[in-house]
């Protein structure tokens, strides 16, 4: 059926093609049928040519291969293929026969190979064990002949092997290696630790007694000279005596500060006696363990750092450098060890404070002062400290609420002060005095500066952002309060001018702060976090801005997990600060706040100018309607004077300008009088010049009033007052006043 269908389709196709060919050749003209014989001969000739080309007995013309040659080549290729197929079958048969013969040998070889590989594994396994035992024997021998340095070298090699084996799947071998490392670590630690302690005691460590007399100091120096060699040997041995990371025990502080690295062993021994004293006095039932007095243990730690700094710098630091710790300082590492005590103590005490906001605030204040003083002792800002505890969710949220509450109360007290709008320094001329900054504004900006100083060292960028947002809210609240007070004042009152000075000062300060590295970083982190939060919302993961507080069953007990610092600083949100991105970052930290204050400044300045113009216009009615057309000529005057109506106008204007000059700082007053000059220029031109007709005397009088009155008035503030009254000057320059009356157009 399919073949029949295909033949039918082919026949129909041929028929249609034939019909199309006949229609194309003859068309609709009957006379074209005479060409049928000619067409038949043409097609017959083409048919003969094609048959000739397909003939097997005719060779190609001009050297081209004929069809016969092509078919012969194809037949030869087919025969060759048949030969190769037969040959392949023969070879395959021989191959299969050979495989059957050698199969037993192959299986036997594989068994021997598997046994060899297994024996090789045993050999390697035993080699590692022998190597570990060899190191153990070397360490033992070195200790017997009292060559401590060689013992430590062999121990270091043993720990290197242990690190290599740590990723091995031979767990028993790994356990054996680790147990061997721990065994010799304890022995060597005890030996060199006791030696190091004895040397330290010879130096009188720790230095907690009263100051020595000169004779005692001389004796100690003589003793110390004999101990230096022992100190060097014990220190170098201890600092090289480190456990692999896999064998380090997790300290409690690592739950508070993730990634906490333990101190080098010699520094641990230096801190150990002070740790015992600290725990005795501040972690027991002694009177010194007072939760209400955190400054006691913080002051003690600072005292210890101060008293031991000289010894650490003179004797320990050279040994650290010699051991290859060139990027660590003995004082900072020693301080870090003491800080661990403060961090653990602070983390334990904060949950015990309950709802006592006063005590909580006191603890926060003392902690901030303590961290600031540590920086003064040379402790690096980027090293772990007590601020990590303050950044934990439960503590930080409460701290932020108290800061906001305290700041709001202080702003209330600042604005309610009787001297709020007075200059803070009286007659003493300072930069603030030149800007005429009122007392309340200086106090408010000082408060903002104090808040910045309190949070700028926090290690968590998200915590800084929250503090910064609180500052922005305080600035906006202060602006709102200024607007409320401003609306109750007359534009020419002293308080109104003080408010405008305050706004101008805040704008200047915020622009300066915007360029500070701290606020550049904050703006960068804020933009990065907002972008991250937006992407999370798009993915349906919700808002991550608010971090909850984890609590145990007791509402007053904060779980340890809530004291873990959120690792935003090492996440994709707050990666390392990229200085290059600042060039492509839009805006600054205080742009929105500055924009609101500038709008308020512009509106207040506009109101002052409009109020002066209102008073000026009210006193200019007589001047506008003066008899300019009938005034006597200049020749009739012995001496020109200001017109009576003009004197009244200029007196009011001078009084208002003098009043505003006393109330506003120089930059603001300059903006006011320049804007006022523009309005006066337009007002005199439109209301006096264009609305009146002048004779020669009237024009002369107006010119005299403007040049000797108005220009003299503004001449106190600029050397070229006429530059601010260009319309009036241009009109007068085009007028001839000698022979006829003029209408000013």
């Amino acid at each position: 059926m399919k073949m029949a269908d295909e033949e039918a389709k082919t026949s129909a196709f041929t028929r249609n093609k034939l019909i199309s060919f006949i229609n194309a050749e003859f068309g609709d003209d009957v006379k074209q049928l005479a060409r049928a014989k000619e067409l038949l001969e043409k097609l017959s000739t083409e048919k003969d040519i094609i048959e000739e080309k397909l003939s097997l007995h005719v060779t190609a013309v001009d050297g081209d291969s004929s069809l016969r040659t092509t078919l012969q080549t194809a037949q030869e290729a087919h025969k060759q293929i048949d030969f190769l197929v037969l040959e392949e079958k023969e070879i395959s048969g021989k191959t299969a026969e050979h495989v059957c013969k050698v199969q037993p040998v192959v299986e036997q070889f594989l068994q021997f190979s598997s046994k060899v590989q297994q024996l090789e594994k045993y050999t390697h396994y035993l080699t590692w064990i022998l190597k570990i035992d060899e190191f153990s024997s070397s360490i033992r021998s070195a200790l017997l002949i009292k060559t401590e340095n060689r013992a430590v070298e062999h121990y270091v090699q043993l720990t290197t092997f242990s690190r290599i084996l740590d990723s091995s799947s031979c767990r028993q071998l790994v356990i054996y290696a680790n147990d061997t490392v721990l065994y010799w670590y304890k022995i060597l630690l005890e030996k060199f630790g006791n030696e190091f302690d004895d040397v330290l005691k010879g130096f009188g460590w720790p230095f907690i007694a009263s100051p020595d007399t000169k004779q005692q100091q001389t004796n100690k120096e003589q003793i110390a000279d004999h101990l230096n060699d022992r100190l060097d040997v014990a220190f170098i041995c201890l600092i090289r005596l480190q456990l692999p990371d896999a064998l380090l025990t997790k300290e409690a502080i690592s739950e508070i500060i993730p990634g906490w690295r333990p101190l080098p062993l010699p520094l641990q021994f230096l801190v150990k006696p002070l740790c015992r004293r600290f725990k005795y006095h501040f972690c027991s039932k002694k009177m010194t363990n007072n939760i209400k007095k955190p400054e006691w243990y913080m002051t003690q730690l600072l005292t210890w750092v101060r008293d031991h700094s000289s010894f650490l710098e003179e004797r320990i630091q050279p040994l650290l450098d010699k051991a290859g710790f060139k990027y660590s300082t003995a004082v900072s590492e020693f301080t870090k060890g003491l800080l661990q005590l403060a961090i653990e103590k602070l983390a334990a005490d904060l949950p015990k404070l309950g709802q006592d906001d006063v005590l909580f605030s006191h603890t926060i204040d003392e902690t901030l002062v303590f961290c600031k003083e540590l920086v003064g002792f040379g402790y690096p800002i980027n090293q772990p400290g007590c601020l990590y505890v303050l950044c934990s969710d439960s503590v930080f949220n409460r701290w932020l609420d108290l800061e906001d509450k305290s700041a709001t109360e202080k702003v209330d007290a600042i604005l309610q002060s009787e001297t709020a709008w007075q200059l803070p320094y009286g007659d003493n001329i300072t930069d603030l005095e030149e800007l005429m900054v009122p007392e309340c504004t200086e106090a408010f900006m000082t408060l903002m500066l104090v808040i910045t100083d309190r949070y700028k060292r926090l290690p968590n960028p998200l915590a800084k952002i929250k503090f910064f947002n609180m500052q922005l809210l305080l600035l906006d609240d202060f602006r709102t309060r200024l607007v409320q007070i401003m609306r109750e004042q007359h534009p020419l009152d002293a308080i109104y001018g003080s408010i405008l000075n305050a706004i101008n000062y805040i704008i200047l300060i915020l622009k300066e702060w915007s360029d500070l590295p701290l606020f550049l970083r904050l703006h960068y982190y804020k933009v990065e976090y907002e972008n991250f939060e937006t992407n999370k919302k798009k993915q349906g993961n919700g808002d991550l801005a608010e971090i909850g507080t984890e609590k145990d069953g007791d509402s007053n007990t904060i779980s340890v997990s809530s004291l873990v610092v959120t690792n935003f600083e090492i996440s994709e949100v707050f990666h390392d600060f990229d200085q290059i991105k600042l060039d492509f970052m839009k805006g600054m930290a205080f742009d929105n706040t500055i924009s609101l204050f500038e709008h308020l400044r512009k509106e207040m300045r506009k109101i002052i100018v409009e109020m002066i113009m209102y008073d000026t216009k009210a006193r200019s009615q007589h001047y506008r309607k003066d008899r300019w057309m009938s005034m006597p000529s200049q020749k009739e005057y012995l001496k020109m004077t200001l017109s009576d109506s003009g004197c009244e106008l200029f007196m009011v204007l001078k009084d208002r300008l003098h009043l505003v000059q006393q109330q506003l700082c120089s930059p603001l007053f300059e903006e006011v009088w320049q804007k006022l000059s523009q309005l006066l220029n337009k007002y005199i031109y439109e209301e006096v010049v264009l609305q009146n007709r002048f004779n020669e005397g009237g024009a002369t009088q107006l010119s005299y009033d403007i040049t000797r009155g108005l220009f003299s008035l503004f001449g106190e503030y600029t050397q070229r007052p006429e530059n601010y009254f260009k319309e009036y000057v241009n009109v007068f320059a085009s007028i001839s006043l000698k022979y006829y009356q003029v209408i000013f157009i």
Side-chain angles (χ1 to χ4, degrees):
M1 289 297 293
K2 289 184 178 180
M3 293 181 64
D5 291 341
E6 289 179 358
E7 289 178 357
K9 290 180 180 179
T10 303
S11 177
F13 175 75
T14 304
R15 184 173 61 256
N16 292 335
K17 191 172 182 180
L18 180 60
I19 292 171
S20 299
F21 175 76
I22 293 173
N23 289 334
E25 290 292 335
F26 298 105
D28 298 333
D29 191 359
V30 179
K31 295 180 180 181
Q32 294 292 331
L33 294 175
R35 295 178 54 246
K37 184 177 180 179
E38 179 184 353
L39 182 61
L40 178 61
E41 292 176 355
K42 179 182 177 182
L43 293 176
S44 298
T45 303
E46 292 180 358
K47 174 176 172 293
D48 293 339
I49 293 172
I50 294 173
E51 288 179 349
E52 183 179 357
K53 289 182 178 180
L54 294 176
S55 176
L56 296 176
H57 303 286
V58 181
T59 59
V61 182
D62 298 331
D64 292 337
S65 298
S66 65
L67 181 61
R68 181 178 181 180
T69 304
T70 304
L71 291 176
Q72 289 177 353
T73 304
Q75 289 175 357
E76 292 177 359
H78 187 269
K79 291 179 181 180
Q80 189 175 4
I81 291 172
D82 291 340
F83 176 76
L84 292 175
V85 169
L86 292 175
E87 188 175 1
E88 185 272 335
K89 289 182 179 179
E90 183 181 355
I91 294 174
S92 296
K94 293 180 179 180
T95 302
E97 183 180 353
H98 181 72
V99 168
C100 291
K101 290 181 180 180
V102 301
Q103 185 65 32
V105 178
V106 171
E107 292 178 355
Q108 187 177 8
F109 176 78
L110 290 176
Q111 292 177 358
F112 287 143
S113 177
S114 177
K115 290 181 180 179
V116 169
Q117 290 178 358
Q118 190 173 8
L119 290 174
E120 285 181 348
K121 290 181 180 179
Y122 293 153
T123 302
H124 289 305
Y125 196 92
L126 291 174
T127 301
W128 281 98
I129 294 177
L130 290 174
K131 198 67 178 176
I132 294 171
D133 291 343
E134 181 182 343
F135 284 127
S136 295
S137 299
S138 300
I139 296 172
R140 185 179 294 105
S141 300
L143 291 176
L144 289 175
I145 61 177
K146 296 183 179 182
T147 54
E148 291 83 359
N149 290 332
R150 291 183 59 187
V152 174
E153 289 177 2
H154 292 308
Y155 172 80
V156 172
Q157 293 176 353
L158 178 62
T159 57
T160 303
F161 270 73
S162 175
R163 291 188 182 95
I164 296 174
L165 286 173
D166 189 54
S167 59
S168 173
S169 58
C170 303
R171 301 316 304 168
Q172 294 301 321
L173 179 61
V174 174
I175 293 173
Y176 177 70
N178 291 339
D179 289 345
T180 305
V181 170
L182 288 173
Y183 171 77
W184 286 114
Y185 175 79
K186 292 177 182 178
I187 293 176
L188 295 175
L189 179 63
E190 182 179 2
K191 175 178 178 58
F192 297 123
N194 293 336
E195 175 68 13
F196 194 68
D197 282 338
D198 291 340
V199 173
L200 290 179
K201 289 178 182 178
F203 282 104
W205 184 275
F207 310 135
I208 56 175
S210 58
D212 297 331
T213 62
K214 292 184 178 181
Q215 182 62 35
Q216 290 174 330
Q217 291 178 356
T218 303
N219 294 336
K220 285 189 174 182
E221 289 177 359
Q222 293 175 353
I223 296 173
D225 291 337
H226 298 288
L227 295 175
N228 281 335
D229 293 338
R230 294 175 61 193
L231 176 66
D232 293 355
V233 173
F235 186 93
I236 296 300
C237 291
L238 277 178
I239 205 167
R240 298 182 65 189
L241 197 67
Q242 300 293 336
L243 281 174
D245 293 340
L247 298 181
L248 291 175
T249 57
K250 188 176 181 181
E251 299 184 63
I253 193 172
S254 61
E255 297 183 358
I256 303 173
I257 304 179
W260 175 275
R261 296 288 300 175
L263 298 177
L265 277 175
L267 274 300
Q268 293 183 25
F269 278 92
L270 288 170
V271 173
K272 186 188 296 184
L274 298 175
C275 290
R276 289 195 294 266
R277 291 178 177 275
F278 184 90
K279 292 178 180 179
Y280 176 78
H281 289 287
F282 303 109
C283 298
S284 62
K285 295 182 180 181
K286 301 286 290 184
M287 295 294 293
T288 48
N289 183 19
N290 190 344
I291 196 173
K292 298 181 180 180
K293 299 291 183 180
E295 62 270 23
W296 287 356
Y297 69 82
M298 293 179 182
T299 302
Q300 182 61 72
L301 292 177
L302 290 173
T303 302
W304 285 341
V305 173
R306 182 196 63 204
D307 292 345
H308 296 83
S309 294
S310 298
F311 179 83
L312 294 170
E313 292 173 353
E314 295 173 3
R315 298 188 182 274
I316 303 301
Q317 187 60 49
L319 298 177
L320 271 179
D321 296 339
K322 182 179 179 181
F325 289 77
K326 295 182 179 180
Y327 299 102
S328 300
T329 63
V331 176
S332 63
E333 291 294 327
F334 178 76
T335 306
K336 179 182 175 182
L338 295 180
L339 262 180
Q340 181 175 350
L341 301 171
I343 292 171
E344 293 174 349
K345 173 69 174 173
L346 185 63
D349 286 350
L350 282 174
K352 301 176 183 178
L353 299 180
Q355 301 301 318
D356 192 339
D357 291 342
V358 176
L359 184 54
F360 183 85
S361 298
H362 175 67
T363 303
I364 295 293
D365 293 340
E366 291 297 331
T367 304
L368 293 175
V369 172
F370 173 64
C371 294
K372 186 175 182 179
E373 292 183 355
L374 279 177
V375 174
F377 278 106
Y379 188 71
I381 299 177
N382 57 353
Q383 289 294 319
C386 296
L387 295 179
Y388 277 85
V389 181
L390 303 187
C391 288
S392 61
D393 300 336
S394 55
V395 175
F396 178 78
N397 291 334
R398 184 179 178 187
W399 176 25
L400 188 64
D401 291 340
L402 290 176
E403 287 284 346
D404 188 25
K405 179 181 177 181
S406 175
T408 303
E409 292 175 352
K410 289 178 181 178
V411 172
D412 290 338
I414 288 170
L415 292 176
Q416 292 173 4
S417 173
E418 295 181 357
T419 59
W421 301 108
Q422 296 179 9
L423 297 180
Y425 301 113
D427 297 332
N428 297 326
I429 303 299
T430 62
D431 292 339
L432 291 178
E433 188 73 15
E434 292 177 0
L435 292 173
M436 301 184 71
V437 182
E439 182 181 289
C440 64
T441 307
E442 185 193 0
F444 175 74
M445 295 310 292
T446 302
L447 173 63
M448 296 293 291
L449 193 62
V450 170
I451 293 175
T452 303
D453 187 64
R454 288 168 70 83
Y455 76 80
K456 67 181 181 181
R457 295 184 181 88
L458 295 180
N460 190 344
L462 182 58
K464 292 183 180 180
I465 290 175
K466 289 186 176 182
F467 258 106
F468 177 65
N469 288 336
M470 184 193 76
Q471 284 183 302
L472 294 180
L473 291 175
L474 287 174
L475 282 166
D476 191 65
D477 177 67
F478 191 73
R479 181 186 61 83
T480 304
R481 292 169 184 256
L482 293 181
V483 171
Q484 294 173 350
I485 298 173
M486 176 266 292
R487 289 174 178 173
E488 299 174 356
Q489 307 298 322
H490 188 276
L492 298 181
D493 285 348
I495 294 181
Y496 194 94
S498 297
I499 294 174
L500 185 52
N501 290 329
I503 294 171
N504 181 69
Y505 177 69
I506 292 174
I507 292 173
L508 292 176
I509 294 299
L510 293 183
K511 287 183 177 179
E512 290 181 3
W513 287 0
S514 296
D515 295 327
L516 296 177
L518 170 65
F519 292 106
L520 289 174
R521 287 173 176 266
L522 278 176
H523 184 56
Y524 171 82
Y525 287 136
K526 187 176 180 182
V527 171
E528 289 289 312
Y529 181 74
E530 288 174 352
N531 292 337
F532 172 79
E533 193 178 47
T534 301
N535 294 333
K536 281 296 183 181
K537 287 182 179 179
K538 289 180 180 178
Q539 296 173 5
N541 291 334
D543 188 357
L544 302 179
E546 296 297 330
I547 303 173
T549 302
E550 299 179 8
K551 293 189 177 182
D552 293 331
D554 187 358
S555 60
N556 293 326
T557 304
I558 303 175
S559 65
V560 176
S561 59
S562 68
L563 291 174
V564 178
V565 179
T566 308
N567 281 331
F568 280 103
E569 62 270 25
I570 57 175
S571 71
E572 60 178 291
V573 186
F574 299 121
H575 47 73
D576 292 338
F577 181 70
D578 190 352
Q579 187 73 28
I580 298 177
K581 287 189 176 182
L582 284 181
D583 299 333
F584 304 96
M585 189 171 60
K586 296 181 180 179
M588 303 293 278
F590 294 99
D591 279 356
N592 293 334
T593 303
I594 291 174
S595 177
L596 292 173
F597 275 102
E598 284 183 338
H599 175 74
L600 180 57
R601 181 180 68 172
K602 182 178 178 181
E603 289 297 317
M604 293 182 67
R605 185 190 63 193
K606 179 181 177 182
I607 291 173
I608 291 176
V609 173
E610 289 178 348
M611 181 56 63
I612 297 175
M613 279 300 300
Y614 177 80
D615 291 345
T616 303
K617 289 178 181 180
R619 298 300 181 92
S620 67
Q621 297 300 322
H622 297 297
Y623 192 72
R624 289 171 52 201
K625 298 178 180 180
D626 214 338
R627 296 177 300 171
W628 301 105
M629 192 62 184
S630 59
M631 286 189 175
S633 174
Q634 180 181 359
K635 298 178 182 179
E636 300 181 17
Y637 291 100
L638 294 176
K639 184 179 181 181
M640 287 290 293
T641 59
L642 296 176
S643 61
D644 294 339
S645 57
C647 287
E648 182 181 3
L649 167 65
F650 298 139
M651 285 295 294
V652 171
L653 183 59
K654 182 177 181 180
D655 179 65
R656 297 296 183 269
L657 283 173
H658 179 69
L659 179 63
V660 173
Q661 185 180 19
Q662 289 182 325
Q663 295 174 355
L664 299 182
C665 62
S666 299
L668 284 175
F669 178 69
E670 185 174 357
E671 294 176 4
V672 169
W673 74 254
Q674 289 181 359
K675 183 63 178 177
L676 182 62
S677 65
Q678 296 175 9
L679 297 179
L680 283 172
N681 177 45
K682 182 178 180 182
Y683 177 73
I684 293 174
Y685 177 71
E686 293 179 352
E687 299 297 331
V688 179
V689 176
L690 296 183
Q691 299 298 325
N692 292 281
R693 297 172 65 87
F694 295 82
N695 63 2
E696 181 182 354
T700 304
Q701 183 64 53
L702 177 61
S703 176
Y704 187 86
D705 289 346
I706 297 302
T707 55
R708 296 301 179 89
L710 191 61
F711 287 0
S712 298
L713 186 61
F714 283 92
E716 297 181 9
Y717 317 124
T718 177
Q719 294 180 353
R720 301 293 297 255
E722 61 274 10
N723 290 341
Y724 298 92
F725 298 89
K726 290 184 178 181
E727 288 188 9
Y728 172 79
V729 172
N730 292 337
V731 169
F732 252 78
S734 63
I735 297 176
S736 174
L737 300 175
K738 289 186 177 181
Y739 302 104
Y740 52 87
Q741 298 176 347
V742 183
I743 300 177
F744 289 79
I745 300 174

